[in-house]
Amino acid sequence: MKAWIMLMLALSLPVAAQAEEAKEAKEGEAPKVSYISLSPPFVGNYGLDGTARLKVYKADVALRVTGEEAVKAVKAHEPLIRNQLVALFGQQTSEAMNNVDTKEKLRQEALKQTQQVMSDETGKPMVDDLLFNNLIIQ
């Protein structure tokens, strides 16, 4: 009986060692970077300054996140993120939407507001970057 127990212990040690090595390998790997496209694209009016001309934008936005936890959190809070971005885009002036430098400032502000939403909801910013895949204005 004693030999049987010793045999079972000896056979289980390599399995335990392999499991530990696999765990260490996963811990040593860099977290997976993912891009989440906010779909459908944002479409709305901007620069409502009292002129008769209707100004429209269409923005395809993607969020860069790191790790599976961040992907799940962003998808769970996507409606709140979309709401914040729609409000931000609607506040823009014609000058802000037509200038390359101000478009970059808009992108940075959109990232900041997205991170603020995630911080308020989860305690962490979660979003590493915000990208305009396409930004069309008329």
Side-chain angles (χ1 to χ4, degrees), residues 104-123:
E104 176 59 20
K105 288 180 184 175
L106 173 61
R107 187 192 71 76
Q108 291 173 357
E109 181 61 26
L111 172 61
K112 180 180 163 188
Q113 288 191 20
T114 301
Q115 289 175 330
Q116 184 62 48
V117 166
M118 293 307 296
S119 291
D120 291 347
E121 295 299 315
T122 66

